[in-house]
Amino acid sequence: ARTWVADWAQDLRRQLKPGLLRVRTSALADTLHWLEQGEADLMVAYHHPSIAERPQGRAFLQKTVAHDRLVPVARRAPAASARTVPFLAYAPKLALSGLVADHLLRQPAPQRLQPVLECDSADALLEYALKGMGLCWLPWSLAGQACRQGQLTVCWDGAMEIPFEVRLVRLRRRLGDLAEAAWLSAPGA
């Protein structure tokens, strides 16, 4: 909501001049439910093979609108001799939580991460990392500026990064005029 959707919403306001755009954020299961129940017209979701719950089947249309990656960041890189690294984790209900957990399980020598905080907001995790509370995996689109400004450090090497897609999803049925125009205006990546 803070990165790709914010830019897209600004473009929609310029191009389509809609009245009120409603942006709701929640866990993937919640947003998928809103879409299926007609409480939302469009859903923006992370996509990666290890994310178990995702829109599937003929009922949905999807298009990739961006590519991003989760990067391990902290205010200071952990010392190589550190026995444990304070870890800022995503709440289990979030897709990014499962994505990071799956990635860590696949590492030949997993880092000794000690969870010290769990949160359901990437924005909040960014703030906690900036305060030096620990290491977390954040979308580069969110953390990149802080890294470029030297406020955060990317830890370890590129093998610890997790690439993913950002997808726009809708039901296959006809939507209202504004939602159809928004769907058509969304760039493909």
Side-chain angles (χ1 to χ4, degrees):
R2 184 174 170 191
T3 56
W4 186 85
V5 172
D7 292 338
W8 186 49
Q10 186 177 28
D11 289 344
L12 288 175
R13 302 269 324 139
R14 253 183 277 147
Q15 293 173 20
L16 305 178
K17 302 189 181 356
L20 173 66
L21 292 175
R22 287 189 178 95
V23 177
R24 295 170 62 188
T25 61
S26 192
L28 183 58
D30 295 338
T31 58
L32 188 53
H33 175 78
W34 297 336
L35 189 65
E36 291 171 333
Q37 298 304 308
E39 296 173 35
D41 292 317
L42 303 169
M43 176 178 87
V44 178
Y46 299 130
H47 176 79
H48 186 276
S50 70
I51 297 175
E53 188 162 357
R54 60 178 178 251
Q56 298 177 3
R58 294 182 185 199
F60 298 100
L61 295 174
Q62 302 181 47
K63 63 172 145 179
T64 300
V65 293
H67 295 273
D68 206 341
R69 64 191 194 275
L70 289 174
V71 293
V73 296
R75 195 163 70 188
R76 288 182 201 83
S81 61
R83 290 175 45 111
T84 61
V85 176
F87 178 49
L88 309 172
Y90 290 101
K93 71 177 185 172
L94 297 182
L96 293 181
S97 176
L99 189 53
V100 171
D102 179 71
H103 181 72
L104 291 173
L105 286 174
R106 296 173 188 273
Q107 297 306 307
Q111 305 301 320
R112 294 187 194 133
L113 300 174
Q114 175 64 48
V116 296
L117 186 136
E118 185 179 280
C119 185
D120 65 357
S121 165
D123 289 333
L125 287 181
L126 170 64
E127 292 302 319
Y128 300 139
L130 287 167
K131 292 182 184 315
M133 294 177 65
L135 176 141
C136 60
W137 270 259
L138 291 172
W140 181 251
S141 59
L142 182 62
Q145 182 176 354
C147 291
R148 287 187 293 274
Q149 292 174 346
Q151 297 171 300
L152 290 176
T153 299
V154 176
C155 304
W156 303 310
D157 63 17
M160 294 302 286
E161 294 182 0
I162 310 165
F164 64 91
E165 295 177 4
V166 178
R167 288 191 178 177
L168 186 62
V169 182
R170 62 172 279 185
L171 289 173
R172 191 172 288 276
R173 67 171 170 74
R174 171 90 174 126
L175 303 175
D177 290 344
L178 180 58
E180 287 288 346
W183 170 263
L184 292 172
S185 76

